[in-house]
Amino acid sequence: MKEDNQLLVITHLSQLLDFVSGIGGFIVPLVLWLTKKDEVFGMDAHGKAILNFRISMFIYLIICIPLILFLGLGILGFITIGVFYLIFPIINAIRVSNNQAPNYPLSITFLK
């Protein structure tokens, strides 16, 4: 296995493709993780952290939909999740470049 921090940084930053393409922020990290998890040191842990974060945020978005109808709080939830989608990939890309482990708060562990 080789160590490739640049690829790990790109994997974290590829989540921002959601702002351009809609679903690319899930597909690109998934493909990178599936193809490079056995070749790049740390890709398995980082890929799982990213996918757990993405799946968790999708579930939170689904929960916000009925909250719009009932309390109007869903809009606040959408804004908060949008900020999470923007900030945490950048923070974790910086963490990876400093050889630190990724940290995505509010992530539910689906992939172990």
Side-chain angles (χ1 to χ4, degrees):
M1 287 190 149
K2 63 180 181 178
E3 191 170 320
D4 190 358
N5 281 351
Q6 289 179 342
L7 184 61
L8 294 174
V9 168
I10 290 170
T11 306
H12 284 280
L13 291 178
S14 67
Q15 296 177 73
L16 299 176
L17 287 172
D18 270 349
F19 294 107
V20 177
S21 66
I23 193 160
F26 182 78
I27 300 291
V28 174
L30 176 65
V31 170
L32 286 173
W33 174 63
L34 289 174
T35 58
K36 299 292 184 180
K37 68 181 177 182
D38 296 327
E39 297 173 18
V40 176
F41 180 74
M43 178 60 87
D44 192 41
H46 287 268
K48 287 177 182 177
I50 291 169
L51 294 175
N52 284 332
F53 173 70
R54 301 297 303 204
I55 294 168
S56 299
M57 290 297 118
F58 180 73
I59 291 171
Y60 298 144
L61 283 173
I62 297 297
I63 291 171
C64 285
I65 293 172
L67 292 177
I68 290 174
L69 299 173
F70 294 122
L71 304 172
L73 294 175
I75 294 173
L76 182 63
F78 281 135
I79 293 170
T80 303
I81 291 170
V83 169
F84 279 10
Y85 268 132
L86 181 65
I87 292 176
F88 285 112
I90 295 170
I91 289 172
N92 282 299
I94 294 169
R95 288 176 61 92
V96 168
S97 67
N98 294 328
N99 292 322
Q100 297 175 348
N103 179 24
Y104 286 102
L106 303 175
S107 257
I108 303 167
T109 305
F110 295 102
L111 304 171
K112 295 181 183 191

